[in-house]
């Protein structure tokens, strides 16, 4: 049996009849930048996320970068975040000239430890970027408390978590802004790169929209230097179709996760993901911990199972950030996660047989 990590062809087969006419409409209109679908998608994502405004951008990475630039974060500033995330979270901070400051993760959820944030705050701290890793939101209440106390912006990196809920509140609606990614492998994936920034602050939303377009307002008059961070019309058209299916897909991901959990329940060596009871996760990834992780990964690959490590090296140990002065041992939970985590296939179109096969092969490896 073959079980890919993700099967976008299987997804496409279910929505082809909706996608093709939407793309044809864009071709008929030839309105490739800022077409009507862009605004329509922004309105739909703002509503979906319980936010007042959404601003379509060129990627999740650019959602973060546009936000940091719009908030005026630059050289001399510090931004607190987690070292256990996709590179772009920290790369975007770096690109503004600001200094990333790391706080370790909770082993159970792989999200930032809220209690560690306050100790990392200095006079230079301007913002916190909690990352909602794997589809589960970070502990936003205590994070917002620290932010209010020290007057900091909170940028939710929700690139893996559109649709997630924390204590009844949608990802992106709690912090100053939320950043989404539509990279094709994300739970709401585009037809290429794309992203979105959402916020409940209408004025900030307007400023974000200006920064996304070279800081130009009105056209050819520039009060600020932004960039070309626009979302293509063709992406918006595809995403509008997919957004209609998102809640159904998320429910299927949760059902798949529940099935894995059942199958691993009798297997001590597998640590299944922890979901806090006040969270609704969308399982962008289903990440277990196993002993001898790298060998397990090889074994599963040999058995035709796609799996991946998010992420094999904590960002405080990356060569490009060595001048931050961090060393091995500084963030033990993050380093341990880098050694133990393994993402299994969880996409909505997985069959029950495929899930059983994956779980059986993991167990077979562990029994060796
Ligand atoms: C995917 C991702 C990003 C970047 O999104 P792109 O659309 O690939 O630029 C940022 N942060 C996290 C946590 C991500 O998973």
């Amino acid at each position: 049996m073959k079980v890919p990590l993700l099967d976008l062809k299987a997804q496409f087969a279910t929505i082809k009849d909706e996608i093709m006419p939407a793309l044809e409409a864009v071709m008929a209109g030839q309105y490739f930048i800022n077409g009507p679908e862009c605004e329509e998608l922004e309105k739909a994502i703002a509503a979906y996320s319980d936010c007042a405004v959404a601003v379509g951008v060129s990627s999740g990475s650019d959602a973060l970068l546009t936000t940091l630039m719009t908030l005026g974060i630059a050289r001399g500033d510090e931004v607190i975040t987690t070292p256990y995330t996709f590179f772009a979270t920290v790369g975007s901070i770096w690109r503004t000239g600001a200094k990333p400051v790391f706080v370790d993760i909770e082993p159970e959820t792989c999200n930032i430890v809220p209690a560690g944030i306050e100790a990392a705050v200095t006079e230079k701290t301007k913002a916190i970027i909690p990352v909602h890793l794997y589809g589960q939101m970070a502990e936003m209440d205590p994070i917002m408390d620290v932010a209010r106390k020290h007057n900091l912006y909170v940028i939710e990196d929700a690139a893996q978590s559109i649709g997630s809920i924390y204590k009844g509140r949608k990802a992106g609606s709690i912090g100053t802004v939320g950043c989404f990614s539509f990279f094709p492998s994300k739970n709401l994936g585009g037809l290429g790169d794309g992203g979105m920034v959402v916020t409940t602050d209408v004025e900030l939303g307007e400023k974000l929209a200006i920064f996304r377009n070279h800081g130009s307002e009105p056209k050819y008059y520039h009060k600020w230097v932004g960039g070309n961070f626009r979302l293509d019309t063709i992406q918006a058209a595809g995403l509008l179709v997919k957004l209609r299916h998102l809640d159904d897909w998320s429910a299927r991901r949760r059902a798949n996760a529940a099935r894995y959990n059942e199958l691993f329940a009798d297997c001590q060596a597998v640590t299944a993901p922890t979901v806090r009871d006040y969270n609704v996760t969308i399982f962008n990834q289903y990440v277990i911990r196993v002993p001898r992780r790298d060998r397990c990964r090889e074994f599963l690959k040999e058995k035709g199972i796609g799996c991946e490590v998010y992420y094999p090296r904590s960002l405080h140990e990356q060569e490009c950030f060595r001048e931050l002065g961090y060393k091995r041992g500084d963030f033990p939970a993050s380093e341990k996660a880098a050694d133990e985590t393994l993402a299994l296939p969880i996409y909505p179109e997985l069959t029950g047989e495929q899930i059983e096969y994956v779980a059986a092969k993991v167990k077979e490896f562990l029994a060796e």
Side-chain angles (χ1 to χ4, degrees):
M1 191 184 291
K2 279 247 182 291
V3 190
L5 183 61
L6 179 66
D7 189 350
L8 287 174
K9 286 181 184 165
Q11 184 191 68
F12 181 58
T14 69
I15 54 170
K16 186 174 176 196
D17 292 349
E18 295 170 76
I19 289 270
M20 296 316 285
L23 299 188
E24 256 179 55
V26 176
M27 299 317 282
Q30 294 285 303
Y31 200 163
F32 295 120
I33 305 290
N34 241 336
E37 288 86 351
C38 294
E39 203 185 323
E40 204 185 321
L41 181 71
E42 287 174 343
K43 287 202 168 123
I45 299 262
Y48 183 79
S49 307
D50 295 336
C51 283
V53 198
V55 178
V57 291
S58 29
S59 67
S61 306
D62 286 342
L64 292 161
L65 181 61
T66 310
T67 297
L68 290 164
M69 289 172 72
T70 304
L71 294 174
I73 287 162
R75 193 166 301 283
D77 297 335
E78 292 179 2
V79 179
I80 296 171
T81 192
T82 152
Y84 200 61
T85 175
F86 178 59
F87 179 79
T89 314
V90 179
S92 64
I93 299 169
W94 189 270
R95 287 174 64 189
T96 66
K99 181 183 164 190
V101 174
F102 294 125
V103 169
D104 210 357
I105 55 166
E106 307 174 317
E108 302 82 21
T109 62
C110 291
N111 284 331
I112 194 167
V113 178
I117 294 174
E118 189 146 30
V121 173
T122 72
E123 282 163 12
K124 296 178 177 172
T125 310
K126 288 282 157 55
I128 307 167
I129 309 187
V131 179
H132 305 323
L133 206 70
Y134 306 147
Q136 175 165 219
M137 288 175 68
E139 294 298 318
M140 291 306 291
D141 277 349
I143 292 170
M144 294 307 291
D145 287 344
V146 183
R148 270 188 288 271
K149 187 168 165 196
H150 296 277
N151 202 19
L152 308 174
Y153 299 118
V154 175
I155 301 163
E156 294 179 54
D157 183 340
Q160 301 181 4
S161 294
I162 188 169
S164 283
I165 298 171
Y166 167 86
K167 298 184 182 173
R169 300 169 76 187
K170 278 280 180 77
S173 70
I174 303 177
T176 315
V177 306
C179 294
F180 299 132
S181 163
F182 306 132
F183 186 80
S185 70
K186 303 285 162 97
N187 66 321
L188 178 60
L191 320 170
D193 279 311
M196 185 106 19
V197 186
V198 291
T199 178
T200 52
D201 179 340
V202 174
E203 239 172 83
L204 178 62
E206 283 164 4
K207 196 168 172 186
L208 281 160
I210 295 170
F211 265 81
R212 159 202 45 196
N213 196 19
H214 291 295
S216 167
E217 177 62 28
K219 201 173 183 186
Y220 302 129
Y221 291 82
H222 302 261
K223 188 164 158 189
W224 302 294
V225 179
N228 174 357
F229 300 127
R230 295 179 300 252
L231 179 72
D232 290 333
T233 309
I234 201 126
Q235 295 303 334
L239 288 160
L240 272 166
V241 170
K242 290 198 178 191
L243 183 61
R244 296 202 287 265
H245 299 273
L246 184 58
D247 284 341
D248 174 47
W249 290 337
S250 298
R252 285 168 194 250
R253 284 172 181 272
R254 279 191 292 274
N256 292 345
R259 183 71 186 119
Y260 272 128
N261 290 347
E262 256 170 42
L263 292 164
F264 289 134
D266 63 355
C267 188
Q268 286 269 315
V270 172
T271 309
T274 303
V275 180
R276 300 262 150 82
D277 57 10
Y278 43 78
N279 281 342
V280 180
T281 165
I282 50 84
F283 282 106
N284 191 62
Q285 287 101 311
Y286 179 87
V287 176
I288 60 169
R289 294 196 189 217
V290 281
R292 299 176 289 145
R293 191 268 322 272
D294 290 335
R295 276 163 59 197
C296 183
R297 185 183 179 191
E298 284 314 307
F299 180 88
L300 295 177
K301 278 189 178 158
E302 280 163 25
K303 304 293 176 194
I305 297 167
C307 47
E308 187 53 274
V309 175
Y310 305 104
Y311 298 89
R313 174 160 291 176
S314 181
L315 294 180
H316 73 284
E317 296 191 273
Q318 297 289 348
E319 198 179 335
C320 62
F321 297 137
R322 64 184 174 272
E323 71 185 70
L324 293 173
Y326 292 114
K327 59 183 186 312
R328 181 116 193 129
D330 283 346
F331 304 103
S334 184
E335 291 165 20
K336 195 159 187 279
D339 289 340
E340 294 180 349
T341 54
L342 185 64
L344 301 178
I346 189 70
Y347 62 89
E349 298 79 13
L350 269 184
T351 65
E353 279 151 13
Q354 286 176 310
I355 295 171
E356 279 157 29
Y357 177 75
V358 174
K361 291 299 156 190
V362 171
K363 289 179 175 178
E364 191 179 313
F365 169 77
L366 291 168
E368 266 185 4

